[in-house]
């Protein structure tokens, strides 16, 4: 499924077979998760996608032509981080997620809304057994980025989650496993998302335009809405953190300094490192994280994106070729 012009629907296209360059694998795709970042790419909210582009960066499949790390027939995950330079000051200090020259699957490299993909095997991830392809796909971004977002909130006990979609439904399971208390904030009137959050163990779920029932120690923002930043800062206690987990957000409104005062921290999360991937994929079966998915045939990618845009997806949407 090809994005030729930003803002236009994807189009089913016959493309040349991907060829494995040096150090690359060809992977026969079993499932590819749909992420909000895909919507930002399709809508032109991220600069310079490599058009014409196959989106998708939560790819699960089997290696057809083996490399050195993975043999033919092995199952791998292909995540967002597709390549880094290994040389810049970020790469050399364990922060490859910030690499100046990083390339991203389904954005600046071809992605997984397809039947096959070529991927640099150094950035492919081994997947835990016990997760069928469909259930494994959302672990690769919703899970990974969600986990990094939670980790950057430190040892916060009372955690608020703003936006209860794919990332949140995974993060809440990890956070509860770590003994934290969870509060879920959704769009006003989104009773389904609030009920889903309670089912997964949130002790409170309500609309984001209402005050939190008690002070929070951290807030994780997954919804791409800038006005949630001052709302979340207002909800966290002195010394608390607000972590923005998305790649794009609408503008943050002006706010009084007193919301940040008291050593509150506001930060973002950018991308993932391979170490995040290995750590999270080892942790997921221990929790155990269970992902809730709705599957769509690959050719219905536009419909899956529309459902995500409309807030209609419970858990994560996944495309199956
Ligand atoms: Zn680099
Ligand atoms: Zn993503």
């Amino acid at each position: 499924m090809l994005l030729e012009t930003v803002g236009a629907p994807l189009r089913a296209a016959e493309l040349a077979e991907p060829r494995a360059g040096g150090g690359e694998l060809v992977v026969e795709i079993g499932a590819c998760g749909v992420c909000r970042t895909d919507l930002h790419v399709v809508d032109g909210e991220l600069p310079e996608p490599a058009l014409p582009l196959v989106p998708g960066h939560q790819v699960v499949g089997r290696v057809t032509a083996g490399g050195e790390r993975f043999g033919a027939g092995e199952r791998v995950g292909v995540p967002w981080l597709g390549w880094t330079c290994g040389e810049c000051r970020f790469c050399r200090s364990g922060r490859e997620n910030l690499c100046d020259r990083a390339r991203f699957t389904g954005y600046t490299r071809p992605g997984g809304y397809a039947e096959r993909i070529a991927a640099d095997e150094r950035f492919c991830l081994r997947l835990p057994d016990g997760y069928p392809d469909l259930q494994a796909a959302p672990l690769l971004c919703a899970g990974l980025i969600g986990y990094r977002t939670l980790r950057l909130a430190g040892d916060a006990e009372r955690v608020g989650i703003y936006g209860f979609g794919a990332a949140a439904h995974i993060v809440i399971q990890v956070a509860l496993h770590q003994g934290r208390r969870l509060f879920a904030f959704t769009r006003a009137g989104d009773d389904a998302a609030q009920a889903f959050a309670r089912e997964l163990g949130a002790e409170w779920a309500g609309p984001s335009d209402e005050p939190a029932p008690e002070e929070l120690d951290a807030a994780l923002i997954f919804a791409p809405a800038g006005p949630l930043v001052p709302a979340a800062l207002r909800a966290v206690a002195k010394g608390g953190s607000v972590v923005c987990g998305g790649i794009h957000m609408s503008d943050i409104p002006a706010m009084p300094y007193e919301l940040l005062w008291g050593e509150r921290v506001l930060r973002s999360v950018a991308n993932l490192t391979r170490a995040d991937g290995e750590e999270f994929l080892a942790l997921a079966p221990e929790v155990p994280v269970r992902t809730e998915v709705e599957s769509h045939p690959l050719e219905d990618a536009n419909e899956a994106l529309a459902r995500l845009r409309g807030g209609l997806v419970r858990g994560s949407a996944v495309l199956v070729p």
Side-chain angles (χ1 to χ4, degrees):
M1 294 299 291
L2 202 61
L3 177 69
E4 292 171 309
T5 315
V6 293
L10 307 183
R11 183 177 70 80
E14 285 291 337
L15 303 179
E17 287 290 330
R19 289 216 326 264
E24 288 189 334
L25 305 171
V26 173
V27 176
E28 178 94 32
I29 298 173
C32 181
V34 177
C35 176
R36 182 162 292 280
T37 297
D38 302 339
L39 271 185
H40 295 315
V41 169
V42 167
D43 290 345
E45 287 165 331
L46 300 181
E48 297 177 17
L51 299 178
L53 174 73
V54 178
H57 56 268
Q58 305 186 86
V59 189
V60 176
R62 293 201 178 268
V63 175
T64 57
E68 283 178 13
R69 285 186 67 211
F70 298 100
E74 239 181 297
R75 191 168 76 138
V76 295
V78 184
W80 171 246
L81 189 72
W83 184 88
T84 57
C85 77
E87 295 167 355
C88 72
R89 64 198 186 91
F90 297 109
C91 282
R92 283 187 285 110
S93 57
R95 296 180 293 165
E96 63 183 1
N97 59 310
L98 302 178
C99 174
D100 287 328
R101 291 157 58 202
R103 298 184 64 204
F104 300 105
T105 309
Y107 177 33
T108 51
R109 285 177 64 102
Y113 288 13
E115 294 165 282
R116 281 175 283 283
I117 187 174
D120 186 319
E121 67 170 339
R122 296 169 304 162
F123 293 85
C124 292
L125 295 166
R126 229 170 276 280
L127 294 167
D129 296 332
Y131 287 91
D133 290 358
L134 271 177
Q135 277 72 26
L139 299 175
L140 285 162
C141 185
L144 282 180
I145 298 285
Y147 177 65
R148 186 172 173 91
T149 307
L150 177 66
R151 211 182 52 208
L152 293 182
D155 58 3
E157 187 202 347
R158 298 165 299 180
V159 177
I161 297 185
Y162 287 74
F164 208 83
H169 100 286
I170 294 174
V171 166
I172 189 172
Q173 299 176 52
V174 177
L176 291 169
H177 174 75
Q178 294 172 335
R180 307 178 197 245
R181 298 171 56 202
L182 263 294
F183 302 79
F185 299 81
T186 74
R187 274 187 275 220
D190 194 348
D191 299 335
Q194 290 167 22
F196 187 33
R198 279 189 217 99
E199 265 173 55
L200 287 172
E203 65 179 71
W204 178 90
S208 57
D209 57 0
E210 272 179 28
E214 61 181 278
E215 265 190 336
L216 305 175
D217 301 305
L220 318 180
I221 303 181
F222 294 115
L228 292 174
V229 170
L233 280 168
R234 197 168 270 123
V236 300
K238 286 183 284 189
S241 299
V242 173
V243 189
C244 302
I247 191 169
H248 173 82
M249 206 181 230
S250 57
D251 286 352
I252 300 170
M255 60 184 185
Y257 176 57
E258 80 180 89
L259 291 183
L260 189 59
W261 170 250
E263 301 199 339
R264 289 174 181 85
V265 174
L266 173 61
R267 69 176 302 172
S268 65
V269 163
N271 313 317
L272 68 135
T273 65
R274 283 171 279 183
D276 291 333
E278 281 151 24
E279 195 177 317
F280 174 69
L281 292 170
L283 176 64
E286 277 173 34
V287 170
V289 170
R290 294 186 202 290
T291 56
E292 186 147 335
V293 302
E294 57 171 55
S295 75
H296 298 268
L298 175 59
E299 57 269 28
D300 292 346
N302 290 307
E303 190 188 319
L305 287 166
R307 284 181 55 77
L308 178 59
R309 191 192 310 280
L312 301 173
V313 177
R314 180 180 152 105
S316 185
V318 178
L319 301 176
V320 179

